[in-house]
Amino acid sequence: IGVRLVGSEMCIRDRPWGAAELRPILATYAAFHARGAVTLAALDDRAWLFPAYRTRVESVAAGLPALVESLVAAGIWSPLPGLGALIARTLREPADAPGGRATLVHNDVTPANAGLPRDGRGLALLVDWEMVGSGPAELDLAYMFLQPFDNARGVDRQAALDWYWAARQGLEGRIPSAVERAAAQEYADGLLALWLIPVAARRLLTPFPPGSGARAYWDSMSHVLERRLRELCHR
C-alpha cells in the first residue's frame, strides 16, 4: 500500500489535520484497539509496557494544585478553579473506562506518527511505538485532540469520535452505549490532561532555548493544555 508520511514533528505546526486525513488514522486505531484487548489479555509479561497514566496521576495527585499554582505565579497560566474537583472526579472513576475494557494503547498519537495511504482510503501506518501501554482506548482518542499547534482545530471532534466508534462496531458488532462512550471519553480526557501537568510544569518552568523547536512545541502545548484543563474544570 502506498503511504505518505505526514512529516517531522517540528514542521507540522503548519499542517493541521483534516477530517479526510483523520479517517485512515481513526480506522487504524479502531482495528488496533479492537484486537488489543485480546492481545493484552494474552501477555504474560507487561513490565515492558509504558507505565499506566492512572497510576502516575494517583501518585502525583496531591501535588498537582501546587504545580498549577507555580505556573500561575510564573505568569504562564491563569488560575484553574475547579482543578481539585476535576482530580477527585477523575480518580473516583474505575481504572478501566466506564462501559469498556482495557486494551493496548499507542500513547503517542501525533500527525508525525501516522503515514497516510496515498489515495486517502484504507488504513494509516502507525510508527513510534516507544510508549505503547495499556488502558482505555479513549486515551488515544483524547491524545488525538490534545495536540500542540492545535493540529486538530479543523476537525469536528464529536463527528470524529462517532466515526471511530462506527468503525469499532463494524469490527466487533457491539460497542458501548452513547452514554457509556461519553463517560469513558470524559474520564480519559481528564486522566490525560492531569498526567500532562507535571510534564508541562517541568518544560515550562525550565524552558528550552528561545527559537528551538522544543521551545515552540511547549509554548504551543502550554496554551492547548491549559485550555483543555479549563474546559474540564468547568464541567
Side-chain angles (χ1 to χ4, degrees), residues 4-53:
R4 62 185 175 87
L5 292 179
V6 172
S8 69
E9 189 148 355
M10 287 304 111
C11 71
I12 57 178
R13 71 191 74 177
D14 298 321
R15 214 185 173 310
W17 279 346
E21 289 182 320
L22 199 58
R23 284 176 189 145
I25 301 172
L26 289 167
T28 298
Y29 276 107
F32 172 54
H33 295 147
R35 299 169 186 166
V38 175
T39 303
L40 181 64
L43 285 178
D44 293 326
D45 178 14
R46 301 188 185 185
W48 56 273
L49 294 174
F50 192 77
Y53 287 7

mmCIF file of all heavy atoms in Angstrom, residues 4-53:
data_model
loop_
_atom_site.group_PDB
_atom_site.id
_atom_site.type_symbol
_atom_site.label_atom_id
_atom_site.label_comp_id
_atom_site.label_asym_id
_atom_site.label_seq_id
_atom_site.Cartn_x
_atom_site.Cartn_y
_atom_site.Cartn_z
ATOM 1 N N ARG A 4 2.160 7.930 2.467
ATOM 2 C CA ARG A 4 2.945 9.157 2.574
ATOM 3 C C ARG A 4 3.001 9.561 4.036
ATOM 4 O O ARG A 4 1.983 9.562 4.741
ATOM 5 C CB ARG A 4 2.350 10.287 1.724
ATOM 6 C CG ARG A 4 0.946 10.716 2.107
ATOM 7 C CD ARG A 4 0.426 11.746 1.119
ATOM 8 N NE ARG A 4 -0.959 12.093 1.401
ATOM 9 C CZ ARG A 4 -1.334 13.039 2.249
ATOM 10 N NH1 ARG A 4 -0.418 13.727 2.897
ATOM 11 N NH2 ARG A 4 -2.606 13.307 2.454
ATOM 12 N N LEU A 5 4.169 9.873 4.527
ATOM 13 C CA LEU A 5 4.319 10.285 5.924
ATOM 14 C C LEU A 5 3.898 11.733 6.066
ATOM 15 O O LEU A 5 4.169 12.562 5.198
ATOM 16 C CB LEU A 5 5.762 10.095 6.379
ATOM 17 C CG LEU A 5 6.216 8.633 6.482
ATOM 18 C CD1 LEU A 5 7.666 8.582 6.919
ATOM 19 C CD2 LEU A 5 5.344 7.847 7.437
ATOM 20 N N VAL A 6 3.238 12.024 7.180
ATOM 21 C CA VAL A 6 2.741 13.376 7.402
ATOM 22 C C VAL A 6 3.884 14.365 7.523
ATOM 23 O O VAL A 6 3.788 15.504 7.112
ATOM 24 C CB VAL A 6 1.843 13.405 8.648
ATOM 25 C CG1 VAL A 6 1.465 14.825 9.009
ATOM 26 C CG2 VAL A 6 0.582 12.584 8.395
ATOM 27 N N GLY A 7 5.009 13.962 8.117
ATOM 28 C CA GLY A 7 6.137 14.890 8.218
ATOM 29 C C GLY A 7 6.724 14.888 9.605
ATOM 30 O O GLY A 7 6.178 14.307 10.529
ATOM 31 N N SER A 8 7.859 15.530 9.763
ATOM 32 C CA SER A 8 8.511 15.572 11.065
ATOM 33 C C SER A 8 7.721 16.428 12.029
ATOM 34 O O SER A 8 7.001 17.332 11.631
ATOM 35 C CB SER A 8 9.928 16.135 10.925
ATOM 36 O OG SER A 8 9.869 17.503 10.587
ATOM 37 N N GLU A 9 7.873 16.161 13.318
ATOM 38 C CA GLU A 9 7.046 16.804 14.332
ATOM 39 C C GLU A 9 7.231 18.311 14.356
ATOM 40 O O GLU A 9 6.314 19.048 14.681
ATOM 41 C CB GLU A 9 7.363 16.204 15.695
ATOM 42 C CG GLU A 9 6.404 16.654 16.776
ATOM 43 C CD GLU A 9 6.196 15.594 17.825
ATOM 44 O OE1 GLU A 9 6.701 14.493 17.684
ATOM 45 O OE2 GLU A 9 5.516 15.906 18.795
ATOM 46 N N MET A 10 8.417 18.785 14.017
ATOM 47 C CA MET A 10 8.651 20.216 14.120
ATOM 48 C C MET A 10 8.081 21.011 12.952
ATOM 49 O O MET A 10 8.036 22.226 12.990
ATOM 50 C CB MET A 10 10.159 20.502 14.237
ATOM 51 C CG MET A 10 10.712 20.128 15.607
ATOM 52 S SD MET A 10 9.845 20.933 16.978
ATOM 53 C CE MET A 10 9.012 19.565 17.733
ATOM 54 N N CYS A 11 7.641 20.322 11.874
ATOM 55 C CA CYS A 11 7.093 21.079 10.756
ATOM 56 C C CYS A 11 5.583 20.973 10.686
ATOM 57 O O CYS A 11 4.958 21.589 9.833
ATOM 58 C CB CYS A 11 7.708 20.631 9.431
ATOM 59 S SG CYS A 11 7.184 18.999 8.888
ATOM 60 N N ILE A 12 4.946 20.209 11.558
ATOM 61 C CA ILE A 12 3.513 20.003 11.448
ATOM 62 C C ILE A 12 2.705 21.146 12.028
ATOM 63 O O ILE A 12 1.492 21.139 11.924
ATOM 64 C CB ILE A 12 3.081 18.684 12.132
ATOM 65 C CG1 ILE A 12 3.516 18.672 13.591
ATOM 66 C CG2 ILE A 12 3.618 17.493 11.397
ATOM 67 C CD1 ILE A 12 3.079 17.444 14.342
ATOM 68 N N ARG A 13 3.341 22.158 12.588
ATOM 69 C CA ARG A 13 2.586 23.304 13.085
ATOM 70 C C ARG A 13 1.826 23.986 11.946
ATOM 71 O O ARG A 13 0.796 24.610 12.163
ATOM 72 C CB ARG A 13 3.520 24.299 13.767
ATOM 73 C CG ARG A 13 4.442 25.065 12.825
ATOM 74 C CD ARG A 13 5.504 25.827 13.566
ATOM 75 N NE ARG A 13 6.510 24.931 14.079
ATOM 76 C CZ ARG A 13 7.592 25.335 14.734
ATOM 77 N NH1 ARG A 13 7.783 26.616 14.984
ATOM 78 N NH2 ARG A 13 8.475 24.465 15.165
ATOM 79 N N ASP A 14 2.341 23.866 10.705
ATOM 80 C CA ASP A 14 1.689 24.457 9.549
ATOM 81 C C ASP A 14 0.844 23.439 8.793
ATOM 82 O O ASP A 14 0.391 23.712 7.695
ATOM 83 C CB ASP A 14 2.747 25.052 8.597
ATOM 84 C CG ASP A 14 3.535 26.169 9.263
ATOM 85 O OD1 ASP A 14 2.920 26.951 10.002
ATOM 86 O OD2 ASP A 14 4.757 26.230 9.055
ATOM 87 N N ARG A 15 0.650 22.281 9.378
ATOM 88 C CA ARG A 15 -0.058 21.222 8.683
ATOM 89 C C ARG A 15 -1.100 20.579 9.578
ATOM 90 O O ARG A 15 -0.935 19.463 10.062
ATOM 91 C CB ARG A 15 0.947 20.160 8.220
ATOM 92 C CG ARG A 15 0.521 19.554 6.887
ATOM 93 C CD ARG A 15 1.416 18.427 6.474
ATOM 94 N NE ARG A 15 0.957 17.732 5.299
ATOM 95 C CZ ARG A 15 -0.276 17.270 5.113
ATOM 96 N NH1 ARG A 15 -1.198 17.483 6.002
ATOM 97 N NH2 ARG A 15 -0.598 16.623 4.019
ATOM 98 N N PRO A 16 -2.195 21.290 9.860
ATOM 99 C CA PRO A 16 -3.224 20.711 10.727
ATOM 100 C C PRO A 16 -3.902 19.524 10.061
ATOM 101 O O PRO A 16 -3.939 19.406 8.838
ATOM 102 C CB PRO A 16 -4.207 21.874 10.924
ATOM 103 C CG PRO A 16 -4.018 22.733 9.716
ATOM 104 C CD PRO A 16 -2.564 22.629 9.380
ATOM 105 N N TRP A 17 -4.437 18.646 10.908
ATOM 106 C CA TRP A 17 -5.193 17.507 10.389
ATOM 107 C C TRP A 17 -6.486 17.989 9.766
ATOM 108 O O TRP A 17 -7.128 18.914 10.255
ATOM 109 C CB TRP A 17 -5.546 16.561 11.537
ATOM 110 C CG TRP A 17 -4.449 15.659 11.933
ATOM 111 C CD1 TRP A 17 -3.303 15.405 11.251
ATOM 112 C CD2 TRP A 17 -4.375 14.886 13.123
ATOM 113 N NE1 TRP A 17 -2.519 14.515 11.940
ATOM 114 C CE2 TRP A 17 -3.151 14.181 13.088
ATOM 115 C CE3 TRP A 17 -5.215 14.714 14.218
ATOM 116 C CZ2 TRP A 17 -2.755 13.315 14.101
ATOM 117 C CZ3 TRP A 17 -4.821 13.858 15.226
ATOM 118 C CH2 TRP A 17 -3.610 13.163 15.174
ATOM 119 N N GLY A 18 -6.906 17.299 8.702
ATOM 120 C CA GLY A 18 -8.233 17.489 8.140
ATOM 121 C C GLY A 18 -9.053 16.244 8.391
ATOM 122 O O GLY A 18 -8.502 15.175 8.693
ATOM 123 N N ALA A 19 -10.384 16.357 8.259
ATOM 124 C CA ALA A 19 -11.254 15.210 8.531
ATOM 125 C C ALA A 19 -10.931 14.038 7.616
ATOM 126 O O ALA A 19 -10.925 12.876 8.036
ATOM 127 C CB ALA A 19 -12.715 15.630 8.374
ATOM 128 N N ALA A 20 -10.635 14.321 6.337
ATOM 129 C CA ALA A 20 -10.342 13.238 5.388
ATOM 130 C C ALA A 20 -9.049 12.522 5.768
ATOM 131 O O ALA A 20 -8.941 11.299 5.633
ATOM 132 C CB ALA A 20 -10.250 13.804 3.967
ATOM 133 N N GLU A 21 -8.052 13.268 6.239
ATOM 134 C CA GLU A 21 -6.795 12.652 6.664
ATOM 135 C C GLU A 21 -6.968 11.854 7.945
ATOM 136 O O GLU A 21 -6.284 10.857 8.178
ATOM 137 C CB GLU A 21 -5.732 13.727 6.883
ATOM 138 C CG GLU A 21 -5.218 14.366 5.615
ATOM 139 C CD GLU A 21 -4.132 15.383 5.909
ATOM 140 O OE1 GLU A 21 -4.275 16.124 6.901
ATOM 141 O OE2 GLU A 21 -3.149 15.423 5.163
ATOM 142 N N LEU A 22 -7.882 12.300 8.788
ATOM 143 C CA LEU A 22 -8.043 11.664 10.089
ATOM 144 C C LEU A 22 -8.708 10.297 9.983
ATOM 145 O O LEU A 22 -8.458 9.411 10.811
ATOM 146 C CB LEU A 22 -8.867 12.578 11.001
ATOM 147 C CG LEU A 22 -8.782 12.318 12.500
ATOM 148 C CD1 LEU A 22 -7.345 12.414 12.976
ATOM 149 C CD2 LEU A 22 -9.653 13.317 13.256
ATOM 150 N N ARG A 23 -9.538 10.093 8.956
ATOM 151 C CA ARG A 23 -10.289 8.838 8.877
ATOM 152 C C ARG A 23 -9.407 7.596 8.771
ATOM 153 O O ARG A 23 -9.660 6.606 9.468
ATOM 154 C CB ARG A 23 -11.287 8.911 7.722
ATOM 155 C CG ARG A 23 -12.495 9.774 8.081
ATOM 156 C CD ARG A 23 -13.437 9.948 6.927
ATOM 157 N NE ARG A 23 -14.452 10.952 7.250
ATOM 158 C CZ ARG A 23 -14.957 11.796 6.371
ATOM 159 N NH1 ARG A 23 -14.552 11.764 5.111
ATOM 160 N NH2 ARG A 23 -15.874 12.679 6.729
ATOM 161 N N PRO A 24 -8.359 7.588 7.922
ATOM 162 C CA PRO A 24 -7.490 6.393 7.934
ATOM 163 C C PRO A 24 -6.819 6.161 9.284
ATOM 164 O O PRO A 24 -6.605 5.010 9.685
ATOM 165 C CB PRO A 24 -6.453 6.706 6.847
ATOM 166 C CG PRO A 24 -7.104 7.720 5.970
ATOM 167 C CD PRO A 24 -7.963 8.544 6.880
ATOM 168 N N ILE A 25 -6.505 7.256 10.000
ATOM 169 C CA ILE A 25 -5.895 7.123 11.317
ATOM 170 C C ILE A 25 -6.902 6.553 12.304
ATOM 171 O O ILE A 25 -6.600 5.639 13.081
ATOM 172 C CB ILE A 25 -5.359 8.487 11.798
ATOM 173 C CG1 ILE A 25 -4.315 9.020 10.808
ATOM 174 C CG2 ILE A 25 -4.739 8.367 13.189
ATOM 175 C CD1 ILE A 25 -3.861 10.437 11.094
ATOM 176 N N LEU A 26 -8.130 7.064 12.269
ATOM 177 C CA LEU A 26 -9.179 6.547 13.148
ATOM 178 C C LEU A 26 -9.465 5.077 12.855
ATOM 179 O O LEU A 26 -9.670 4.276 13.778
ATOM 180 C CB LEU A 26 -10.458 7.375 12.974
ATOM 181 C CG LEU A 26 -10.429 8.791 13.535
ATOM 182 C CD1 LEU A 26 -11.613 9.593 13.009
ATOM 183 C CD2 LEU A 26 -10.435 8.779 15.051
ATOM 184 N N ALA A 27 -9.479 4.715 11.575
ATOM 185 C CA ALA A 27 -9.734 3.319 11.196
ATOM 186 C C ALA A 27 -8.632 2.408 11.726
ATOM 187 O O ALA A 27 -8.894 1.299 12.207
ATOM 188 C CB ALA A 27 -9.841 3.197 9.676
ATOM 189 N N THR A 28 -7.381 2.879 11.661
ATOM 190 C CA THR A 28 -6.269 2.091 12.173
ATOM 191 C C THR A 28 -6.359 1.918 13.684
ATOM 192 O O THR A 28 -6.150 0.816 14.213
ATOM 193 C CB THR A 28 -4.931 2.753 11.800
ATOM 194 O OG1 THR A 28 -4.821 2.792 10.383
ATOM 195 C CG2 THR A 28 -3.754 1.992 12.379
ATOM 196 N N TYR A 29 -6.684 2.989 14.389
ATOM 197 C CA TYR A 29 -6.815 2.883 15.838
ATOM 198 C C TYR A 29 -7.989 2.000 16.230
ATOM 199 O O TYR A 29 -7.923 1.254 17.207
ATOM 200 C CB TYR A 29 -6.926 4.271 16.476
ATOM 201 C CG TYR A 29 -5.577 4.888 16.717
ATOM 202 C CD1 TYR A 29 -5.114 5.927 15.929
ATOM 203 C CD2 TYR A 29 -4.729 4.393 17.704
ATOM 204 C CE1 TYR A 29 -3.854 6.472 16.119
ATOM 205 C CE2 TYR A 29 -3.474 4.923 17.900
ATOM 206 C CZ TYR A 29 -3.044 5.964 17.105
ATOM 207 O OH TYR A 29 -1.787 6.484 17.294
ATOM 208 N N ALA A 30 -9.076 2.058 15.474
ATOM 209 C CA ALA A 30 -10.217 1.188 15.760
ATOM 210 C C ALA A 30 -9.803 -0.273 15.669
ATOM 211 O O ALA A 30 -10.136 -1.098 16.543
ATOM 212 C CB ALA A 30 -11.360 1.490 14.793
ATOM 213 N N ALA A 31 -9.054 -0.628 14.617
ATOM 214 C CA ALA A 31 -8.599 -2.013 14.456
ATOM 215 C C ALA A 31 -7.599 -2.397 15.545
ATOM 216 O O ALA A 31 -7.659 -3.502 16.100
ATOM 217 C CB ALA A 31 -7.973 -2.173 13.070
ATOM 218 N N PHE A 32 -6.689 -1.490 15.853
ATOM 219 C CA PHE A 32 -5.684 -1.748 16.883
ATOM 220 C C PHE A 32 -6.328 -1.967 18.243
ATOM 221 O O PHE A 32 -6.002 -2.930 18.962
ATOM 222 C CB PHE A 32 -4.719 -0.560 16.925
ATOM 223 C CG PHE A 32 -3.735 -0.588 18.064
ATOM 224 C CD1 PHE A 32 -2.918 -1.685 18.289
ATOM 225 C CD2 PHE A 32 -3.611 0.504 18.910
ATOM 226 C CE1 PHE A 32 -2.005 -1.700 19.335
ATOM 227 C CE2 PHE A 32 -2.708 0.503 19.948
ATOM 228 C CZ PHE A 32 -1.903 -0.607 20.169
ATOM 229 N N HIS A 33 -7.279 -1.104 18.601
ATOM 230 C CA HIS A 33 -7.934 -1.234 19.907
ATOM 231 C C HIS A 33 -8.822 -2.469 19.964
ATOM 232 O O HIS A 33 -8.930 -3.121 21.012
ATOM 233 C CB HIS A 33 -8.756 0.018 20.202
ATOM 234 C CG HIS A 33 -7.930 1.249 20.355
ATOM 235 N ND1 HIS A 33 -8.367 2.502 19.977
ATOM 236 C CD2 HIS A 33 -6.681 1.440 20.850
ATOM 237 C CE1 HIS A 33 -7.428 3.389 20.219
ATOM 238 N NE2 HIS A 33 -6.398 2.771 20.756
ATOM 239 N N ALA A 34 -9.496 -2.784 18.862
ATOM 240 C CA ALA A 34 -10.382 -3.948 18.845
ATOM 241 C C ALA A 34 -9.595 -5.231 19.089
ATOM 242 O O ALA A 34 -10.049 -6.133 19.802
ATOM 243 C CB ALA A 34 -11.121 -4.024 17.516
ATOM 244 N N ARG A 35 -8.403 -5.314 18.513
ATOM 245 C CA ARG A 35 -7.574 -6.512 18.682
ATOM 246 C C ARG A 35 -6.717 -6.438 19.942
ATOM 247 O O ARG A 35 -6.268 -7.458 20.466
ATOM 248 C CB ARG A 35 -6.661 -6.688 17.472
ATOM 249 C CG ARG A 35 -7.417 -6.876 16.166
ATOM 250 C CD ARG A 35 -6.502 -6.770 14.979
ATOM 251 N NE ARG A 35 -7.233 -6.814 13.723
ATOM 252 C CZ ARG A 35 -6.719 -6.473 12.553
ATOM 253 N NH1 ARG A 35 -5.463 -6.064 12.482
ATOM 254 N NH2 ARG A 35 -7.446 -6.539 11.453
ATOM 255 N N GLY A 36 -6.474 -5.218 20.411
ATOM 256 C CA GLY A 36 -5.548 -5.025 21.522
ATOM 257 C C GLY A 36 -5.993 -5.631 22.822
ATOM 258 O O GLY A 36 -5.165 -6.049 23.634
ATOM 259 N N ALA A 37 -7.316 -5.687 23.054
ATOM 260 C CA ALA A 37 -7.809 -6.251 24.307
ATOM 261 C C ALA A 37 -7.449 -7.733 24.409
ATOM 262 O O ALA A 37 -7.028 -8.218 25.459
ATOM 263 C CB ALA A 37 -9.321 -6.049 24.410
ATOM 264 N N VAL A 38 -7.613 -8.455 23.304
ATOM 265 C CA VAL A 38 -7.281 -9.880 23.288
ATOM 266 C C VAL A 38 -5.774 -10.076 23.438
ATOM 267 O O VAL A 38 -5.305 -10.941 24.183
ATOM 268 C CB VAL A 38 -7.777 -10.527 21.979
ATOM 269 C CG1 VAL A 38 -7.333 -11.986 21.911
ATOM 270 C CG2 VAL A 38 -9.294 -10.425 21.885
ATOM 271 N N THR A 39 -5.013 -9.242 22.724
ATOM 272 C CA THR A 39 -3.550 -9.329 22.800
ATOM 273 C C THR A 39 -3.062 -9.039 24.211
ATOM 274 O O THR A 39 -2.184 -9.734 24.741
ATOM 275 C CB THR A 39 -2.908 -8.330 21.822
ATOM 276 O OG1 THR A 39 -3.387 -8.591 20.504
ATOM 277 C CG2 THR A 39 -1.394 -8.436 21.847
ATOM 278 N N LEU A 40 -3.640 -8.000 24.840
ATOM 279 C CA LEU A 40 -3.245 -7.634 26.194
ATOM 280 C C LEU A 40 -3.533 -8.767 27.166
ATOM 281 O O LEU A 40 -2.705 -9.085 28.031
ATOM 282 C CB LEU A 40 -3.980 -6.368 26.618
ATOM 283 C CG LEU A 40 -3.670 -5.822 28.009
ATOM 284 C CD1 LEU A 40 -2.217 -5.380 28.117
ATOM 285 C CD2 LEU A 40 -4.600 -4.640 28.336
ATOM 286 N N ALA A 41 -4.689 -9.387 27.020
ATOM 287 C CA ALA A 41 -5.058 -10.467 27.933
ATOM 288 C C ALA A 41 -4.105 -11.652 27.822
ATOM 289 O O ALA A 41 -3.908 -12.395 28.788
ATOM 290 C CB ALA A 41 -6.486 -10.926 27.644
ATOM 291 N N ALA A 42 -3.498 -11.821 26.652
ATOM 292 C CA ALA A 42 -2.608 -12.961 26.439
ATOM 293 C C ALA A 42 -1.166 -12.681 26.870
ATOM 294 O O ALA A 42 -0.338 -13.603 26.872
ATOM 295 C CB ALA A 42 -2.622 -13.359 24.963
ATOM 296 N N LEU A 43 -0.868 -11.437 27.253
ATOM 297 C CA LEU A 43 0.501 -11.088 27.627
ATOM 298 C C LEU A 43 0.810 -11.575 29.046
ATOM 299 O O LEU A 43 0.136 -11.208 30.003
ATOM 300 C CB LEU A 43 0.698 -9.568 27.564
ATOM 301 C CG LEU A 43 0.823 -8.931 26.180
ATOM 302 C CD1 LEU A 43 0.972 -7.408 26.321
ATOM 303 C CD2 LEU A 43 2.018 -9.501 25.418
ATOM 304 N N ASP A 44 1.833 -12.368 29.174
ATOM 305 C CA ASP A 44 2.268 -12.815 30.500
ATOM 306 C C ASP A 44 3.153 -11.756 31.158
ATOM 307 O O ASP A 44 3.102 -11.549 32.369
ATOM 308 C CB ASP A 44 3.034 -14.139 30.390
ATOM 309 C CG ASP A 44 2.141 -15.280 29.948
ATOM 310 O OD1 ASP A 44 0.954 -15.271 30.333
ATOM 311 O OD2 ASP A 44 2.618 -16.152 29.218
ATOM 312 N N ASP A 45 3.980 -11.088 30.356
ATOM 313 C CA ASP A 45 4.913 -10.086 30.868
ATOM 314 C C ASP A 45 4.487 -8.717 30.370
ATOM 315 O O ASP A 45 4.531 -8.432 29.166
ATOM 316 C CB ASP A 45 6.339 -10.404 30.386
ATOM 317 C CG ASP A 45 7.358 -9.360 30.847
ATOM 318 O OD1 ASP A 45 7.019 -8.557 31.745
ATOM 319 O OD2 ASP A 45 8.475 -9.348 30.304
ATOM 320 N N ARG A 46 4.073 -7.837 31.301
ATOM 321 C CA ARG A 46 3.643 -6.486 30.927
ATOM 322 C C ARG A 46 4.608 -5.425 31.454
ATOM 323 O O ARG A 46 4.335 -4.232 31.341
ATOM 324 C CB ARG A 46 2.239 -6.205 31.469
ATOM 325 C CG ARG A 46 1.186 -7.175 30.962
ATOM 326 C CD ARG A 46 -0.211 -6.742 31.365
ATOM 327 N NE ARG A 46 -1.218 -7.726 30.990
ATOM 328 C CZ ARG A 46 -2.529 -7.537 31.140
ATOM 329 N NH1 ARG A 46 -2.977 -6.402 31.677
ATOM 330 N NH2 ARG A 46 -3.389 -8.477 30.781
ATOM 331 N N ALA A 47 5.729 -5.867 32.002
ATOM 332 C CA ALA A 47 6.661 -4.921 32.608
ATOM 333 C C ALA A 47 7.240 -3.956 31.587
ATOM 334 O O ALA A 47 7.654 -2.847 31.938
ATOM 335 C CB ALA A 47 7.789 -5.683 33.317
ATOM 336 N N TRP A 48 7.295 -4.344 30.327
ATOM 337 C CA TRP A 48 7.887 -3.506 29.290
ATOM 338 C C TRP A 48 6.929 -2.434 28.783
ATOM 339 O O TRP A 48 7.337 -1.519 28.070
ATOM 340 C CB TRP A 48 8.346 -4.380 28.118
ATOM 341 C CG TRP A 48 7.247 -5.226 27.536
ATOM 342 C CD1 TRP A 48 6.856 -6.466 27.952
ATOM 343 C CD2 TRP A 48 6.400 -4.881 26.438
ATOM 344 N NE1 TRP A 48 5.810 -6.929 27.187
ATOM 345 C CE2 TRP A 48 5.519 -5.976 26.253
ATOM 346 C CE3 TRP A 48 6.297 -3.782 25.604
ATOM 347 C CZ2 TRP A 48 4.537 -5.979 25.249
ATOM 348 C CZ3 TRP A 48 5.324 -3.784 24.601
ATOM 349 C CH2 TRP A 48 4.463 -4.871 24.436
ATOM 350 N N LEU A 49 5.647 -2.535 29.140
ATOM 351 C CA LEU A 49 4.676 -1.548 28.687
ATOM 352 C C LEU A 49 4.917 -0.202 29.371
ATOM 353 O O LEU A 49 5.413 -0.133 30.494
ATOM 354 C CB LEU A 49 3.251 -2.015 28.986
ATOM 355 C CG LEU A 49 2.756 -3.254 28.234
ATOM 356 C CD1 LEU A 49 1.385 -3.666 28.754
ATOM 357 C CD2 LEU A 49 2.709 -2.993 26.729
ATOM 358 N N PHE A 50 4.535 0.870 28.692
ATOM 359 C CA PHE A 50 4.653 2.207 29.265
ATOM 360 C C PHE A 50 3.809 2.284 30.532
ATOM 361 O O PHE A 50 2.690 1.757 30.566
ATOM 362 C CB PHE A 50 4.167 3.237 28.236
ATOM 363 C CG PHE A 50 4.499 4.663 28.572
ATOM 364 C CD1 PHE A 50 5.784 5.157 28.384
ATOM 365 C CD2 PHE A 50 3.531 5.517 29.078
ATOM 366 C CE1 PHE A 50 6.098 6.469 28.694
ATOM 367 C CE2 PHE A 50 3.829 6.837 29.388
ATOM 368 C CZ PHE A 50 5.119 7.319 29.201
ATOM 369 N N PRO A 51 4.310 2.923 31.593
ATOM 370 C CA PRO A 51 3.543 2.984 32.844
ATOM 371 C C PRO A 51 2.144 3.571 32.639
ATOM 372 O O PRO A 51 1.960 4.522 31.881
ATOM 373 C CB PRO A 51 4.400 3.896 33.730
ATOM 374 C CG PRO A 51 5.781 3.750 33.192
ATOM 375 C CD PRO A 51 5.624 3.579 31.714
ATOM 376 N N ALA A 52 1.179 3.004 33.325
ATOM 377 C CA ALA A 52 -0.211 3.430 33.161
ATOM 378 C C ALA A 52 -0.402 4.870 33.616
ATOM 379 O O ALA A 52 0.112 5.276 34.662
ATOM 380 C CB ALA A 52 -1.124 2.510 33.957
ATOM 381 N N TYR A 53 -1.133 5.652 32.850
ATOM 382 C CA TYR A 53 -1.408 7.041 33.213
ATOM 383 C C TYR A 53 -2.134 7.112 34.556
ATOM 384 O O TYR A 53 -1.887 8.008 35.365
ATOM 385 C CB TYR A 53 -2.276 7.712 32.143
ATOM 386 C CG TYR A 53 -1.558 8.026 30.850
ATOM 387 C CD1 TYR A 53 -0.253 7.605 30.608
ATOM 388 C CD2 TYR A 53 -2.191 8.747 29.846
ATOM 389 C CE1 TYR A 53 0.395 7.894 29.422
ATOM 390 C CE2 TYR A 53 -1.548 9.047 28.653
ATOM 391 C CZ TYR A 53 -0.260 8.617 28.450
ATOM 392 O OH TYR A 53 0.387 8.919 27.277
#
